[in-house]
Amino acid sequence: MSSLRPAQQSFIRRFIASEATGGIVLMVVAVLALLVANSPLSDAYFAGLHVYVGGLSVLHWINDGLMAVFFLMVGLEIKREALTGQLATWPQRVLPGLAALGGMVAPALAYLIFNAGSPETLRGWAIPAATDIAFALGVLSLLGSRVPLSLKIFLTALAVIDDLGAVVIIALFYTANLNVLALGGAIAVTAVLILMNRRGFHNLAPYLLLGLVLWFLVLMSGIHATLAGVVLALTIPLAVDPRLGDSSLIRLEHAIHPWVAFLIVPIFGFANAGVSFAGFTPSVLLQPVPLGIAAGLFLGKQVGIFTVAVLSIRLGLARLPEGASWRQVYGVALLCGIGFTMSLFIGLLAFPASPGLQDEVKIGVMMGSLLSGVVGALVLVAAPARKLAPVRG
């Protein structure tokens, strides 16, 4: 990665290490949720999630409140990477951008194939289109130096674009009936935030206070409240504050990243990964929803990402990540089938009034993510460390 300045390399290494550690924590939490949901504590676990506080259930506060901070983090990452990071130039964007597109389209098609005869479940088409960056990097971290930094950066850039795609999908396809008055208020607050950015305001406090107002208005508008986090992130200044000598966006990202990685996402995982297997029969695995999700994550992701990557490089549109082999790129394509956090989140939006389908979503996400993680890790362990010659057309 000689093309990166030492400071950039240091930041990227810290970011990847933090995401990877958070992914390992998330793995542990997911297993814990399954154990609790199938233990004598299961009744207390499910009942606790549906206790109402301040007009919303605990689960609602987690999914609409805490996850808004997660989406704030996603928005900050997207803005930073797009303006100064690994997506700042078109040559840097081409390979992860095209691969991410293939990795969203192919899984959605796989899901639709298995659910074509079930109009009720077609709304779940976007569930397998997401990649969990923390989980995937967590698996990569377990492989140590066998995987070059360039490949970890490729995965990170691909997942960031994937997150952007998921945000757009949520905004366009999973929005309830609109409250025009609340939406108008949200637009007005957004305009004020943009004006503050344009006028060079760097103090984070006014941005965060208006962000809370924006979150409430978006919640009332019918658009999913978490999208307020992304909108707020895009208005936070990336330019250096002349008084403090650093960037408000970078300061905020550094401040909330540990909380998101080690508290908010694990809480979300614990609250949403728990599924009771009481009365479970193997036939559930063959239902359209879990089968479509698992096929989308495990088959659709690898086919979409790797096929597009190969075509892009054959056509001379992009280059193979430095020091990486084709087998390693294929292994990373497999790991992108780990769709835990965002896939579960979209599943909740797709079937908000059907606990049975939500459980099927969880089973499908776990099947597809587990297969993708295990097979992807095995492929990367078996991959030669040396760089293979790029395929040329």
Side-chain angles (χ1 to χ4, degrees), residues 33-34 37-38 45-46 272-277 359-360 362-363 366:
L34 284 173
N38 293 278
Y45 168 78
F46 290 111
N272 290 281
V275 55
S276 174
F277 293 119
D359 283 346
E360 289 187 14
K362 295 175 186 178
I363 292 170
M366 289 174 193

Side-chain angles (χ1 to χ4, degrees), residues 303-315:
V303 170
I305 291 172
F306 191 66
T307 300
V308 171
V310 170
L311 288 175
S312 300
I313 295 169
R314 277 184 179 275
L315 295 172

